[in-house]
Amino acid sequence: MSVEESLANGSAEAEDVVTPWTVSSQNDTGIDYDKLIKKFGSCKIDDEMLKRFEKLTGKKPHHLLRRGIFFSHRDVNVILDSYEKGKPFYLYTGRGPSSDSMHLGHLIPFMFCKWLQDVFDVPLVIQLSDDEKAIWKNLDIEQAVKLSYLNAKDIIACGFKLEKTFIFSNLEYMNSAFYKNMIRIQRSVTFNQVKGIFGFGDSDPIGKISFPPTQAAPALSSTFPFIFKNNTVPCLIPCAIDQDPYFRMTRDVAPKLNHPKPALLHSSFFPALQGPKTKMSASDNNSAIFLTDTAKQIKTKINKYAFSGGQATIEEHREKGGNCDVDVSYQWLKFFLEDDDRLEEIRKGYTSGEILTGEIKKELIELLQKLVGNHQEIRNKVTEEDVKRYMEPRDLGFVVKNS
Ligand code: TYM
């Protein structure tokens, strides 16, 4: 059995399972990401790369990069080399709308994409794979499209520039260029290959087996002729590492279709409230904070469910200190608290026992109530008309400068 196959059906010698559908670990500290890099054959994002980001953009790297939350990549140096020479690239990311609201984990790639779009000033395409969710979750087709539009509001509320962003629902937008690329990819990948990569079996619906090219096609610039005209433009995909199998397949096929292999930036997983052994999941309400949760729900969920790295009694905690590696409140602050100095103060204080679990939770609750409250305020102002504008296939003013 290949590593791909072992991973796909969860029986690799290492107990961590990371697929587009399942993320779980037996370790208290969660997924061993160094091991995962080796298994997937990607590269670690090192200090050298962070310096390159800073030099090329003139901006301090985003805190998700500085803190190693985006920890792995494929061919980002190639993208940066060509950007340095004045050659453009575009960003591609996506969401499988399985619920009417996204959760905090889903925000991670979008927050990061917003930063990348701002500092590199590049076009961004966002796929809403409602077809994927209709197949996997057996959703009514019209309901799946409806969820796409609802999720698009959450995505727009992240602040993407209208003039540089195209959001599309697979079920609603399937033009000739997209379909042609899907077919080119479908005929280049065998059933054995997708079985190996994704673990599909003989009794899976054929919709699942034929879906991966739909997620792959937007990584080829010729899928968007109204944006890129006749240019072949390199693509950079930010996502959590669960999506990597789709893009390993895409990277195999792209050169055969005269396109560059898409580059990737992988993030680690925003943990579930119950701890770092699993990722936050939309299908388990108590594992997640949704972008529609009220201030009260946020407070209750964190106080009730956030796994604590603290000791059993205050006396013991003061004496031995807490464990930030497993404490969900600290881990969440790492994703969302931008102030490095405050984060370090909390880490030191919690580790030494000076800061108690109740105190770290209180700080997290206040931060998230503010963040989610702001998001809701912006989202409530996003109109149906705004959504239509982002989802209209159109020229994004993309030009290739002659060097
Ligand atoms: P979906 O809807 O499961 O997730 C959307 C994006 O969020 C990332 N993600 C997370 N990131 C950090 N912590 C978490 N707990 C967490 N959970 C999810 C996912 O990696 C993803 O980037 N098939 C895809 C949709 C898709 C897509 C794409 C994603 C279509 N085209 C291109 C990335 C790039 C899906 O169902 O994602």
Side-chain angles (χ1 to χ4, degrees), residues 2 74 99 107 114 116 122 130 149 154-155 175 196 198 216 224 237 253 280 295 302 323 342 374 395 402:
S2 71
R74 293 184 188 276
S99 50
L107 263 193
K114 150 94 179 111
L116 289 169
V122 287
D130 38 19
Y149 280 82
D154 273 325
I155 292 169
N175 68 9
F198 299 97
F224 307 101
I237 307 169
V253 179
M280 180 170 270
I302 292 175
N323 180 357
R342 180 65 195 139
N374 281 342
D395 190 337
N402 290 322

Side-chain angles (χ1 to χ4, degrees), residues 362-373:
K362 183 166 178 284
E363 182 136 358
L364 176 69
I365 290 166
E366 282 168 8
L367 178 90
L368 291 183
Q369 285 176 332
K370 204 163 150 206
L371 186 137
V372 173

Side-chain angles (χ1 to χ4, degrees), residues 111-303:
M111 272 168 51
F112 189 56
C113 270
K114 150 94 179 111
W115 180 79
L116 289 169
Q117 184 182 58
D118 286 348
V119 299
F120 288 105
D121 194 29
V122 287
L124 163 67
V125 297
I126 301 176
Q127 178 175 62
L128 298 169
S129 51
D130 38 19
D131 50 349
E132 177 192 12
K133 293 301 151 182
I135 297 166
W136 261 268
K137 306 243 166 195
N138 214 10
L139 294 184
D140 175 70
I141 297 284
E142 293 313 323
Q143 174 65 7
V145 174
K146 210 171 135 203
L147 295 181
S148 273
Y149 280 82
L150 287 170
N151 281 214
K153 286 193 170 181
D154 273 325
I155 292 169
I156 292 167
C158 293
F160 296 109
K161 292 178 187 156
L162 173 63
E163 64 280 14
K164 292 245 181 240
T165 308
F166 173 51
I167 305 177
F168 58 99
S169 134
N170 285 345
L171 288 171
E172 293 251 296
Y173 159 80
M174 177 62 66
N175 68 9
S176 156
F178 190 178
Y179 190 59
K180 283 177 186 162
N181 274 342
M182 279 170 52
I183 296 298
R184 289 184 180 110
I185 299 166
Q186 284 181 5
R187 72 178 177 202
S188 310
V189 183
T190 65
F191 182 39
N192 261 340
Q193 285 170 313
V194 285
K195 269 205 287 198
I197 299 172
F198 299 97
F200 297 139
D202 288 348
S203 38
D204 273 316
I206 57 171
K208 288 192 182 179
I209 295 151
S210 62
F211 173 74
T214 320
Q215 183 153 332
L220 310 181
S221 55
S222 53
T223 296
F224 307 101
F226 49 91
I227 301 177
F228 302 111
K229 292 86 185 187
N230 292 322
N231 301 293
T232 304
V233 183
C235 173
L236 171 62
I237 307 169
C239 57
I241 198 160
D242 60 335
Q243 300 299 310
D244 189 65
Y246 285 110
F247 301 116
R248 289 203 290 270
M249 185 198 82
T250 315
R251 283 168 57 83
D252 268 359
V253 179
K256 295 178 200 153
L257 305 181
N258 299 322
H259 279 71
K261 292 182 178 201
L264 283 119
L265 278 164
H266 298 124
S267 82
S268 54
F269 300 105
F270 188 69
L273 274 162
Q274 287 70 16
K277 289 186 179 180
T278 56
K279 67 168 184 169
M280 180 170 270
S281 159
S283 44
D284 178 359
N285 190 32
N286 290 334
S287 79
I289 297 227
F290 290 89
L291 295 172
T292 43
D293 281 352
T294 61
K296 190 161 171 239
Q297 281 171 317
I298 293 173
K299 185 173 174 186
T300 310
K301 281 188 186 176
I302 292 175
N303 279 334

Side-chain angles (χ1 to χ4, degrees), residues 25-52:
S25 168
Q26 299 308 315
N27 305 319
D28 289 343
T29 48
I31 307 291
D32 182 333
Y33 287 107
D34 285 333
K35 252 191 200 163
L36 200 61
I37 283 181
K38 277 201 196 116
K39 258 191 194 124
F40 281 14
S42 60
C43 299
K44 199 176 170 109
I45 296 177
D46 56 13
D47 285 347
E48 205 64 28
M49 181 162 276
L50 295 190
K51 281 189 199 132
R52 268 202 98 184

